[in-house]
Amino acid sequence: MTTLPAAPFPNHDTHPDTDAGRRLVLAGVVVGTIAAVTESVPLGFQSTTPGTGHYQYAADYWLTASALPHALAALLVMVGIHRLQRGRDGRLGLAGLVVNVVSLLALSTIIVASLVLGHEVQAGPTYVVGTLGTFVGTAVFAAGSWRVGLLPRWVLAIWPFVWVIGSFAAFSASPLLLIPFYAVLVAVLARR
């Protein structure tokens, strides 16, 4: 009697999506951490133009431009986690990712236009709706990720709130809230 060897169990740690997902998350965490620190540090040291809309100081450009790395970090982290979950986050995960990408693109367009023109671009309610879109997109993505088990549920529960308070609805040093969140994210993913 001949015995056939059993097929080897696939090692998910060497799957291309796993490697790419980890790299994307790590890149997003690095970019997001740098953005949180650089956005928070100059607030006490530089003047900004109070409510006139026209930029007069370097800090006006600095604070506006600092939102772009936040958008990039959010995109890298979410796409990386989506790849790590390999579609197990279902339609909710994909819908949250799409809503976030569209919202981040709208916000980034306003930010770039403001930098080029040298004043706050008033695109109607686009900034508020875009910020709300990133919150909703992150919440929907977290809901899709809830059953996957890659991230603990408490991390998924606080993610949308930490994201909004630390990024596009940030004030003073609130972007620094993203740093411990990113550290927890890296620690959790390193153990998985």
Side-chain angles (χ1 to χ4, degrees), residues 41-107:
V41 170
L43 287 177
F45 304 108
Q46 298 180 5
S47 298
T48 58
T49 307
T52 63
H54 294 286
Y55 295 169
Q56 296 175 357
Y57 304 104
D60 296 322
Y61 291 95
W62 180 266
L63 292 175
T64 302
S66 68
L68 291 173
H70 280 299
L72 178 60
L75 185 64
L76 290 171
V77 167
M78 194 168 285
V79 169
I81 290 174
H82 182 70
R83 288 197 69 165
L84 286 170
Q85 295 179 143
R86 293 193 209 118
R88 293 175 292 173
D89 50 3
R91 291 181 184 162
L92 278 177
L94 183 59
L97 180 64
V98 169
V99 168
N100 227 345
V101 167
V102 170
S103 298
L104 290 169
L105 286 175
L107 289 168

Side-chain angles (χ1 to χ4, degrees), residues 80-177:
I81 290 174
H82 182 70
R83 288 197 69 165
L84 286 170
Q85 295 179 143
R86 293 193 209 118
R88 293 175 292 173
D89 50 3
R91 291 181 184 162
L92 278 177
L94 183 59
L97 180 64
V98 169
V99 168
N100 227 345
V101 167
V102 170
S103 298
L104 290 169
L105 286 175
L107 289 168
S108 296
T109 302
I110 292 170
I111 293 163
V112 169
S114 295
L115 291 170
V116 169
L117 298 174
H119 66 83
E120 292 178 18
V121 171
Q122 301 297 323
T126 307
Y127 191 87
V128 173
V129 171
T131 300
L132 182 60
T134 65
F135 176 76
V136 169
T138 303
V140 170
F141 183 81
S145 302
W146 194 265
R147 63 187 166 137
V148 175
L150 178 67
L151 298 173
R153 290 183 172 178
W154 68 269
V155 170
L156 296 171
I158 66 168
W159 188 358
F161 300 104
V162 172
W163 165 248
V164 168
I165 293 169
S167 63
F168 292 101
F171 57 93
S172 187
S174 68
L176 296 175
L177 289 173

